Amino acid sequence: MSKDIKNIFHKQGLKFTPQRRAVLKVLQDTQAYLSINRIHTKVKELLPGTGLATVYRSLETLVELELAVKVHLEDGCHSYTLAPEGHRHPIVCTDCSRVIEYTECPIQDISKKLSKKTGVLIKTHFLQLFGKCEECRN
Amino acid sequence: MSKDIKNIFHKQGLKFTPQRRAVLKVLQDTQAYLSINRIHTKVKELLPGTGLATVYRSLETLVELELAVKVHLEDGCHSYTLAPEGHRHPIVCTDCSRVIEYTECPIQDISKKLSKKTGVLIKTHFLQLFGKCEECRN
DNA sequence: TTTACAATTGAGAAAGTTTCTCAATTAGGG
DNA sequence: CCCTAATTGAGAAACTTTCTCAATTGTAAA
Ligand SMILES: [Zn+2]
Ligand SMILES: [Zn+2]
Ligand SMILES: [Zn+2]
Ligand SMILES: [Zn+2]
């Protein structure tokens, strides 16, 4: 597993540094959207002394490698989470920010229709669902 | 038309100031996503001397009144556009940032199914489609 | 294992974005 | 035409993100 990820870095001529490892581990261990500052805090628990700029740079790298995704929350803050495998969309609990992935994409089916109808050649889409999870409803 | 909008402000005890008028007009005249700075520039053409903070405040007010919506672009910058009537989703041209609205929402149909499946009571969703418009493909 | 080098890091400066403060101005009801 | 609360402009302040550079460190090759 870790070997695979290591290779993803090495194939791009990138180093698999402790800092990048730590950022990735934080995302893996937290199935939720995390702001930069929360990621920084958690990373420093694993690797004291890690700088904020490094967290920014690591996240940028992880997104380029498609190991993480940048998401957009309504309050305006950018957050990050582990990249889903395959084509998936997140359902986010607005209370606890837990993320549940789901695989049924209703967009792909209608993309072609919409392209014809609107004249816009649709390439990508961004979809997030928001709600309240079971635990938070008690 | 303008009377209606005026009333929306007055019903909330808000003033329909020249600055707010100008911000709204910029959004109305530009069927595209606009960054704060571009809005500020265009507003100053209509109303020289308008401060940046006022643009921020006006946009916040317009969003509260549901006359505008805040959107999220992949490069990270927040932008604004005129609020769509009813439930709609935007198709954004990644070249010219023109916005085409479309009304067929594929999410509402499957919300209930997903709620049962995942245990998350789905309340809202955020959907943006990206592509290349006819003009930009030439 | 050791060496060599390009990639990466931490620290702080710098740039950019958003919010806040407050005196002066103004829209709009009466 | 007043009065008053809402709003504004200007700049400071707070916050977020990027940049710079000397020092460090993974990693491939020897
Ligand atoms: Zn929850
Ligand atoms: Zn999809
Ligand atoms: Zn276009
Ligand atoms: Zn919808």
Side-chain angles (χ1 to χ4, degrees), chain A residues 70 72-78 91-94 100-102 104 106-107 110-111 113-115 117-134 137, chain B residues 70 72-78 91-94 100-102 104 106-107 110-111 113-115 117-134 137:
Chain A
K70 187 175 187 175
H72 310 267
L73 302 183
E74 283 314 297
D75 61 16
C77 274
H78 295 136
I91 306 175
V92 189
C93 177
T94 49
I100 293 97
E101 303 281 352
Y102 87 99
E104 293 166 50
I107 309 302
I110 62 163
S111 280
K113 285 183 198 169
L114 279 174
S115 291
K117 226 181 219 177
T118 61
V120 184
L121 188 62
I122 293 167
K123 290 182 178 169
T124 61
H125 57 268
F126 181 76
L127 172 62
Q128 291 177 189
L129 304 178
F130 298 92
K132 211 167 182 177
C133 77
E134 252 169 337
R137 267 180 284 149
Chain B
K70 187 175 188 174
H72 310 266
L73 302 183
E74 283 313 298
D75 61 14
C77 274
H78 295 136
I91 306 175
V92 188
C93 177
T94 49
I100 293 97
E101 303 281 353
Y102 86 100
E104 291 166 51
I107 310 302
I110 62 163
S111 280
K113 285 183 196 168
L114 280 174
S115 291
K117 228 181 219 176
T118 61
V120 184
L121 188 62
I122 292 166
K123 290 182 179 171
T124 61
H125 56 268
F126 182 76
L127 172 62
Q128 291 177 190
L129 303 178
F130 298 92
K132 212 167 182 177
C133 77
E134 252 169 337
R137 268 180 283 149

Side-chain angles (χ1 to χ4, degrees), chain B residues 10-25:
Chain B
H10 289 172
K11 278 177 189 167
Q12 305 294 324
L14 299 172
K15 293 180 179 178
F16 196 40
T17 64
Q19 290 86 350
R20 286 169 175 172
R21 258 179 251 249
V23 171
L24 185 57
K25 182 153 178 44

Side-chain angles (χ1 to χ4, degrees), chain B residues 35-87:
Chain B
S35 69
I36 300 264
N37 284 331
R38 289 196 58 201
I39 293 170
H40 188 206
T41 300
K42 283 168 178 284
V43 163
K44 280 191 290 187
E45 288 168 11
L46 297 174
L47 205 66
T50 304
L52 177 59
T54 297
V55 173
Y56 273 96
R57 291 182 290 221
S58 296
L59 288 168
E60 196 184 357
T61 302
L62 289 174
V63 169
E64 276 168 13
L65 296 178
E66 297 185 3
L67 295 170
V69 290
K70 187 175 188 174
V71 294
H72 310 266
L73 302 183
E74 283 313 298
D75 61 14
C77 274
H78 295 136
S79 293
Y80 289 82
T81 190
L82 202 64
E85 289 175 28
H87 187 98

